[in-house]
Structures are given as structure tokens and as C-alpha cells.
Amino acid sequence: MILTLLKTTLSLFVLFCVGWFFFMVPLGERTLFEHCWRISKTDEARELGREFGEAGSRLVDQIGNRIEEQNSDAEPSHPK
């Protein structure tokens, strides 16, 4: 129980340190958060986001089609 508490405390401390670094420590003129924010607002990043969304939709469709095919193949034929 104490080991679990120590692991949780350490994990929270590391998470806090990473968050503090991400939002508070300047890397050049801006923090890491500000750099990421500005990069995400570029036309290229927005295009990449749209392409990821389209690829994800195609993947979901393909998986759905495979599941439907497997379910239709696995259905036993009912004698009449």
C-alpha cells in the first residue's frame, strides 16, 4: 500500500514538472506551449489535421466492412 502511494506521488510530481516546463519555461522567445500553439495555427498543420481525419474515417469504414464480412460469413445457415 505504501509502495502504491509512493508510485502515485512520484507520478503526480513528474506530471507536475512536465506541465510546469511545458507552460512556464521559455524556449527562446516563447514557451513550448506557445510554440505548439503557433505551429498548430499554420495552414500546413490544419491540412495535416484534415488529412488525419479523412484517413481515420477511411480506417473506421474499412474495419466496419471487415467486421460485417466476418459476421456474414460466420452466420450459420438455417435449414428450412
Side-chain angles (χ1 to χ4, degrees):
M1 178 158 160
I2 291 177
L3 186 59
T4 304
L5 180 62
L6 287 173
K7 285 181 181 180
T8 303
T9 303
L10 181 62
S11 296
L12 290 173
F13 177 72
V14 169
L15 180 64
F16 171 79
C17 290
V18 169
W20 179 79
F21 180 83
F22 187 73
F23 289 104
M24 302 302 287
V25 176
L27 301 173
E29 296 178 5
R30 296 178 179 82
T31 64
L32 185 56
F33 171 74
E34 292 169 330
H35 283 295
C36 291
W37 185 261
R38 290 174 65 97
I39 290 169
S40 72
K41 297 299 177 187
T42 63
D43 291 336
E44 292 85 358
R46 290 177 188 219
E47 181 181 351
L48 180 62
R50 281 192 300 273
E51 291 175 359
F52 268 121
E54 292 170 2
S57 296
R58 287 193 305 268
L59 181 62
V60 167
D61 291 341
Q62 288 176 357
I63 291 172
N65 290 339
R66 286 185 183 177
I67 290 173
E68 288 176 6
E69 289 174 6
Q70 288 178 352
N71 286 342
S72 65
D73 291 344
E75 289 179 11
S77 55
H78 298 291
K80 293 183 180 181

